[in-house]
Amino acid sequence: MSNLFSPLMAVIYEAISAILLFWHAAWHKVLGDASWLATNWSWVLGIIFLVITVRAILFPIFVKQIKSQRAMQALQPKVKALQEKHKGDRETMQQELMKLYREEKANPLMGCLPMFLQVPVFLGLFHVLKHLKPTMPERLKTLYGWTVGQFDSASHAKLFGAPIAGSFKSTPHELELLGANGTTVKVVAAILIATMIATTFLTSRQMILKTGWAEDPQQRMVQRLMLYGVPFSLLISGAIFPIGVVIYWVTQNLFSLGQQMWVLRKYPPPNQPGAAAKQPAKPDAKGKGDGAAKPAEPKALGPKVGAKPVNPKKGGAAKR
């Protein structure tokens, strides 16, 4: 298994490096080697546009995810009925649920697919940035399609004085090799980690608020894991992430917030006003629409053409 996994990861490392180096070269032509606010923007923007490239590739899958979630929401009454019917038999209930999903061509795991597809990208960037050490032998600097010049430039690239290859837990020796101040690195890393945790929580919360909590126990468990589990895990693991990886994660979350807002507006959940407006009115018992009384048209309130005018006083006298 490891023999198969290593070549696959090497391909991912090379693909991530190729995208990162492409965008760095593009921004370097515009910005050159200039550094503003103690930041090498050509590398920082290279990471940001790596996110945009990956999310653009995954956008069709994200749309499928939303449509799959809508299909799952439409099945909730049937799912609830099966859960009530097989309340004491969990095995049979799971079999019946799987059968229902197959018949309706709904996939409860589709909601996690975009996240799983981004994991290799995250691991690839994590490995590439951890690899950026000034003491790396030259024969290793040219791995994954890098040149020695690109490697040396990236290994000294900084964001507000903190090297993108450094992390909150970088040792004093590592920071010395990177030419960085320990306090600056910890402050920049801490702010980015806090932003990463907050935006991760908001991304999951935005989706759940728009779509609602799932009735299916498995889906609800996944929602809780995404809403609380992942942000909490980042509080611990974020300290070892290179600053460049945290930049990637924050950018990805901000991109997701905007993308979800647009997609949820275009494909609103069934219980949202936008979705209701698109639904045709249900016919009543006589097949004449939803049965609600329609307001009379203005012309219908006036007298017909050719009809004798009615004197309201005479009508009132007759009643008396």
Side-chain angles (χ1 to χ4, degrees):
M1 182 70 177
S2 59
N3 292 335
L4 178 64
F5 186 71
S6 297
L8 176 62
M9 291 307 297
V11 171
I12 292 174
Y13 299 152
E14 290 183 5
I16 296 304
S17 295
I19 298 172
L20 177 58
L21 293 173
F22 169 82
W23 284 114
H24 166 257
W27 282 107
H28 188 267
K29 287 181 180 179
V30 178
L31 304 174
D33 293 320
S35 175
W36 304 314
L37 300 175
T39 300
N40 301 100
W41 290 106
S42 59
W43 284 109
V44 173
L45 289 171
I47 295 173
I48 291 172
F49 275 78
L50 168 64
V51 176
I52 295 174
T53 302
V54 172
R55 294 310 297 260
I57 294 171
L58 294 179
F59 183 75
I61 298 175
F62 181 78
V63 173
K64 286 184 179 180
Q65 173 198 11
I66 296 296
K67 290 181 177 180
S68 176
Q69 288 176 341
R70 298 295 175 268
M72 292 297 299
Q73 286 179 323
L75 288 178
Q76 286 309 307
K78 294 182 180 180
V79 170
K80 204 166 184 178
L82 287 174
Q83 289 171 345
E84 290 293 329
K85 183 178 180 181
H86 304 288
K87 188 180 293 185
D89 191 350
R90 187 173 182 83
E91 184 178 349
T92 303
M93 181 184 71
Q94 290 297 331
Q95 291 175 352
E96 291 296 321
L97 285 175
M98 292 299 105
K99 181 181 177 183
L100 175 65
Y101 294 150
R102 282 196 303 270
E103 290 175 351
E104 299 293 338
K105 297 180 180 179
N107 186 355
L109 300 178
M110 187 65 189
C112 302
L113 184 58
M115 182 189 71
F116 288 144
L117 291 177
Q118 291 176 70
V119 169
V121 180
F122 169 78
L123 293 176
L125 185 62
F126 181 88
H127 176 82
V128 168
L129 292 180
K130 288 291 286 184
H131 182 71
L132 295 175
K133 296 177 181 178
T135 56
M136 191 71 65
E138 287 202 9
R139 62 182 180 84
L140 297 179
K141 290 181 179 181
T142 55
L143 289 175
Y144 318 130
W146 289 67
T147 65
V148 174
Q150 289 170 333
F151 186 96
D152 291 339
S153 175
S155 63
H156 291 91
K158 293 179 174 63
L159 173 68
F160 304 127
I164 62 173
S167 67
F168 187 87
K169 284 196 171 182
S170 290
T171 65
H173 178 65
E174 290 173 338
L175 294 175
E176 184 181 353
L177 292 174
L178 293 169
N181 177 273
T183 302
T184 301
V185 172
K186 288 188 182 300
V187 170
V188 173
I191 293 173
L192 285 173
I193 291 169
T195 307
M196 175 177 66
I197 293 170
T199 52
T200 299
F201 175 80
L202 291 174
T203 302
S204 299
R205 183 173 177 270
Q206 180 191 53
M207 182 66 75
I208 293 172
L209 286 178
K210 287 290 185 179
T211 60
W213 288 95
E215 296 288 342
D216 181 65
Q218 288 183 340
Q219 283 190 296
R220 185 179 284 260
M221 182 178 67
V222 171
Q223 286 178 321
R224 289 188 182 279
L225 178 64
M226 295 295 296
L227 185 61
Y228 302 113
V230 174
F232 180 76
S233 69
L234 293 177
L235 183 63
I236 302 169
S237 60
I240 65 171
F241 291 167
I243 286 175
V245 171
V246 184
I247 295 171
Y248 171 90
W249 197 304
V250 170
T251 306
Q252 176 178 272
N253 287 343
L254 294 174
F255 190 95
S256 295
L257 285 168
Q259 181 178 263
Q260 285 180 179
M261 187 179 298
W262 181 84
V263 173
L264 289 170
R265 187 175 296 174
K266 187 174 180 62
Y267 302 99
N271 58 342
Q272 296 293 319
K278 295 181 180 180
Q279 299 295 327
K282 294 182 180 179
D284 60 4
K286 298 180 180 180
K288 296 182 179 179
D290 58 4
K294 296 183 179 179
E297 296 181 2
K299 290 182 179 180
L301 298 177
K304 293 182 179 179
V305 179
K308 292 182 179 180
V310 179
N311 190 334
K313 293 184 178 180
K314 291 183 178 180
K319 285 182 182 178
R320 286 195 301 268

